[in-house]
């Protein structure tokens, strides 16, 4: 269990040099969600809306627990949304409203 | 923990939930579950895209084109690049001098705009690439990183005990050989140029390329004859 000092000195992403178990040689084909998310984030970087460093900082800001629970691209999506809100590119109100619209659309399409 | 297929109707969740509650790390989890509740994160990324398209900041075509770019960039590009370097000494020299310029000369689209540094394996030095902070990787030449590259054990141990780590990949680096570990960052990416194996003098460029696997270009393995 990490001590309080460790939590401050070693944020969740800063793994270099820490003890850890064996590397499991794992991989998987990307899901459509992962691919869309990756493509979106690349386009955001191209337009300097969310660059790689901002994205990573956005992930780090989620904190150890969320980082541990969410998958890689789930973290990217949340990070992008927070960075865009922070920078005033979108507001959380319009994002929430749009998410409700999309959810309604998808639910209707599935029904 | 058992997985529940409970559609959880009636509760409008505002995003604090995690799926299945098992730590979420399953990348194979379905995007739209059969119960009909759209996946929170998929909805989130769609919403971001739609809003930015409406604001005229990005276009939907760009995102579609980027999906195709991601599909097109596979480790085979890196393999062909290495085979060329093995057969064309002048190209190899240019590749080591300026990786970014050389891959563009070779016809690889350096689509993420990062700087590429090519590291030559020699009898004296074995290079190994990692990104301790996250997952930076030479995507234009190798495609997307494998899951293990992004995993905690690889990121944590590569800079501390590379020799032991390499042994787990079946790679024995003799004690007299220096191991140099390169930690990638957002703007600077590394590609390993493996040593051409002995006994390949008569091989064609495509035959050579077939020996160059993704892992040899990360530095966790070395090319082997079939």
């Amino acid at each position: 269990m990490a001590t309080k000092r460790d939590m401050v000195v070693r944020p969740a992403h800063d793994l270099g040099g820490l003890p850890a178990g064996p590397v499991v040689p794992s991989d998987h084909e990307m899901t459509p969600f992962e691919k869309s998310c990756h493509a979106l984030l690349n386009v955001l970087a191209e337009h300097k809306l969310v660059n790689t460093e901002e994205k990573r900082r956005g992930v780090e800001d989620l904190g150890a627990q969320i980082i541990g629970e969410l998958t890689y691209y789930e973290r990217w999506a949340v990070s992008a949304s927070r960075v865009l809100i922070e920078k005033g590119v979108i507001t959380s109100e319009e994002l929430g409203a749009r998410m409700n619209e999309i959810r309604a659309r998808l639910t209707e399409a599935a029904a | 923990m058992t997985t529940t297929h409970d559609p959880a109707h009636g509760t409008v969740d505002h995003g604090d939930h995690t799926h299945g509650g098992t730590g979420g790390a399953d990348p194979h989890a379905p995007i739209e579950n059969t119960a009909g509740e759209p996946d929170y994160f998929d909805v989130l990324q769609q919403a971001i895209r739609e809003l930015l398209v409406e604001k005229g900041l990005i276009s939907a075509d760009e995102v579609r084109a980027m999906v195709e770019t991601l599909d097109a960039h596979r480790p085979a590009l890196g393999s062909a690049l290495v085979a060329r370097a093995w057969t064309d000494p002048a190209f190899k020299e240019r590749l080591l001098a300026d990786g970014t310029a050389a891959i563009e000369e070779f016809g690889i689209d350096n689509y993420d705009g990062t700087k590429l540094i090519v590291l030559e394996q020699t009898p004296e030095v074995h290079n190994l690439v990692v990104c301790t902070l996250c997952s930076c990787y030479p995507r234009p030449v190798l495609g997307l990183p494998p899951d293990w590259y992004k995993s905690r054990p690889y990121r944590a141990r590569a800079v501390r005990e590379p020799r032991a780590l390499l042994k787990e990949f079946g790679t024995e680096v003799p004690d007299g050989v220096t191991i140099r570990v390169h930690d990638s960052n957002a703007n600077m990416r590394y590609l390993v140029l493996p040593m051409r194996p002995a006994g390949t003098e008569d091989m064609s460029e495509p035959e050579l390329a077939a020996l160059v696997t993704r892992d040899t270009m990360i530095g966790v393995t070395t090319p082997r004859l079939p």
Side-chain angles (χ1 to χ4, degrees):
Chain A
M1 191 60 209
T3 65
K4 285 194 274 191
R5 176 195 170 278
D6 291 341
M7 286 186 240
V8 174
V9 174
R10 278 280 194 173
H13 62 284
D14 190 5
L15 299 180
L18 291 178
V23 175
V24 180
S26 51
D27 202 11
H28 76 283
E29 274 299 308
M30 282 182 109
T31 65
F33 159 71
E34 292 177 316
K35 220 175 251 187
S36 311
C37 206
H38 196 118
L40 175 67
L41 268 290
N42 280 9
V43 171
L44 295 185
E46 269 181 8
H47 287 276
K48 305 196 187 322
L49 291 165
V50 181
N51 70 27
T52 306
E53 298 290 16
E54 290 170 321
K55 176 179 69 187
R56 205 195 78 217
R57 199 261 305 152
V59 169
E60 288 154 14
D61 283 356
L62 298 175
Q65 192 190 353
I66 294 184
I67 288 175
E69 289 281 323
L70 269 52
T71 66
Y72 184 77
Y73 286 105
E74 288 171 354
R75 298 194 288 265
W76 276 30
V78 179
S79 167
S81 70
R82 302 232 172 135
V83 172
L84 288 166
I85 290 167
E86 245 175 54
K87 294 169 88 172
V89 179
I90 59 175
T91 66
S92 61
E93 288 75 20
E94 61 186 351
L95 181 63
R98 180 53 58 104
M99 287 182 72
N100 286 338
E101 266 175 57
I102 293 172
R103 213 175 274 124
R105 224 155 61 200
L106 291 174
T107 308
E108 199 177 319
Chain B
M1 180 114 203
T2 54
T3 323
T4 60
H5 293 278
D6 187 332
H9 283 310
T11 43
V12 179
D13 194 296
H14 289 279
D16 301 317
H17 70 298
T18 56
H19 293 268
T22 52
D26 179 13
H28 302 282
I31 300 310
E32 285 162 19
N33 61 37
T34 47
E37 191 196 342
D39 178 76
Y40 175 83
F41 300 93
D42 196 32
V43 171
L44 176 61
Q45 68 88 16
Q46 285 187 54
I48 295 170
R49 190 183 63 226
E50 289 185 12
L51 286 174
L52 296 178
V53 168
E54 275 177 21
K55 288 173 190 287
L57 295 169
I58 64 172
S59 78
D61 279 343
E62 281 178 290
V63 181
R64 271 192 293 274
M66 185 55 76
V67 170
E68 285 174 21
T69 300
L70 292 176
D71 281 336
H73 288 255
R74 300 266 171 191
L77 291 178
S79 307
L81 184 78
V82 168
R84 173 63 55 84
W86 281 351
T87 52
D88 180 344
F91 179 72
K92 177 178 157 183
E93 208 172 296
R94 293 197 293 281
L95 184 65
L96 292 171
D98 184 343
T100 315
I103 65 164
E104 283 173 342
E105 173 200 327
F106 191 67
I108 297 175
D109 173 18
N110 192 42
Y111 71 87
D112 62 6
T114 50
K115 179 178 168 60
L116 183 72
I117 295 171
V118 178
L119 311 158
E120 186 182 16
Q121 305 289 44
T122 69
E124 292 80 35
V125 177
H126 182 100
N127 295 286
L128 178 68
V129 178
V130 66
C131 177
T132 62
L133 292 179
C134 186
S135 55
C136 286
Y137 190 72
R139 293 163 202 260
V141 274
L142 292 187
L144 304 180
D147 289 340
W148 58 259
Y149 183 86
K150 307 188 275 189
S151 74
R152 180 187 176 94
Y154 186 75
R155 290 162 49 196
R157 293 175 55 219
V159 290
R160 189 188 188 95
E161 41 175 1
R163 219 170 278 271
L165 183 87
L166 285 168
K167 213 170 274 182
E168 288 166 27
F169 282 91
T171 305
E172 295 268 357
V173 180
D175 281 343
V177 175
T178 302
I179 297 181
R180 215 166 270 162
V181 182
H182 304 264
D183 198 353
S184 318
N185 67 38
N187 306 308
M188 213 156 56
R189 309 294 167 87
Y190 300 99
L191 179 78
V192 169
L193 175 62
M195 280 189 283
R196 179 171 175 169
T200 59
E201 292 73 16
D202 297 330
M203 283 186 166
S204 68
E205 221 174 291
E207 284 171 332
L208 289 169
L211 304 177
V212 186
T213 62
R214 175 193 68 200
D215 291 359
T216 67
M217 294 179 278
I218 301 174
V220 292
T221 60
T222 53
R224 302 246 160 79
L225 290 178

